[in-house]
Amino acid sequence: TCSTIFDLACSTDGFDTLCGLLTSFDLKDAISGGSWTVFAPTNEAFTKLDDALDGGIASVSDDLLLKILQFHVVDDQVLYSDDLPCELGNNLVTTLSGKDSRTFCEDDVPYGQKGSGNDEVVKFVGVDIDACNGVVHAVEDVLLFNLAPYM
């Protein structure tokens, strides 16, 4: 039997924070069905974000935190690393939040994603992790859009 994206996030070492957030926002059912691509931040990624934010993650409103989570999810598409767009000018992926993140590649091999709120490309630390309802790519930082209007 295969694991759903939720089960994968909650049974894989290094995704405890992601699992906790998915649970606290009651997203288990939502991401246990359908077809998804998830850029999954590791525990270390959330720790780095917590350290970087004035007041930490606790200072971020639930509404904004949900939008940030949605910025890591592509709905109705299962995009393995080979499917992520490398073509310059055509390398945007539209997320569940409605905002785009950009795929970065080297020699036509994707190595990371970047949101408009990230200073650096967020590198993949694991790709093509299979779930029965999609695929997960582990990322070393939390993907961010421009948070200024929300803070």
Side-chain angles (χ1 to χ4, degrees):
T1 62
C2 59
S3 299
T4 65
I5 287 178
F6 179 84
D7 292 338
L8 192 73
C10 292
S11 66
T12 304
D13 281 349
F15 293 126
D16 306 309
T17 307
L18 178 61
C19 175
L21 287 168
L22 294 172
T23 303
S24 69
F25 282 108
D26 207 19
L27 295 173
K28 177 181 179 175
D29 291 343
I31 64 165
S32 291
S35 299
W36 307 91
T37 301
V38 176
F39 300 104
T42 61
N43 292 340
E44 288 174 14
F46 283 110
T47 301
K48 284 193 247 179
L49 178 64
D50 193 47
D51 293 344
L53 287 172
D54 200 22
I57 290 178
S59 68
V60 177
S61 72
D62 283 353
D63 185 48
L64 180 55
L65 203 49
L66 180 59
K67 280 184 174 55
I68 291 171
L69 277 179
Q70 291 171 333
F71 191 57
H72 291 77
V73 176
V74 181
D75 185 15
D76 268 347
Q77 290 187 66
V78 179
L79 299 169
Y80 286 90
S81 57
D82 287 351
D83 302 320
L84 291 169
C86 283
E87 187 185 332
L88 207 58
N90 196 24
N91 56 345
L92 296 180
V93 177
T94 302
T95 67
L96 188 59
S97 69
K99 300 177 185 311
D100 294 333
S101 72
R102 187 175 298 276
T103 303
F104 281 78
C105 305
E106 192 171 296
D107 298 325
D108 283 333
V109 177
Y111 68 87
Q113 290 294 119
K114 184 177 181 297
S116 59
N118 294 108
D119 293 334
E120 306 282 330
V121 176
V122 173
K123 293 190 173 91
F124 298 135
V125 291
V127 294
D128 300 341
I129 305 164
D130 268 315
C132 38
N133 64 325
V135 64
V136 173
H137 306 295
V139 290
E140 66 176 3
D141 287 304
V142 175
L143 289 166
L144 298 171
F145 45 86
N146 180 4
L147 300 182
Y150 301 92
M151 300 298 265

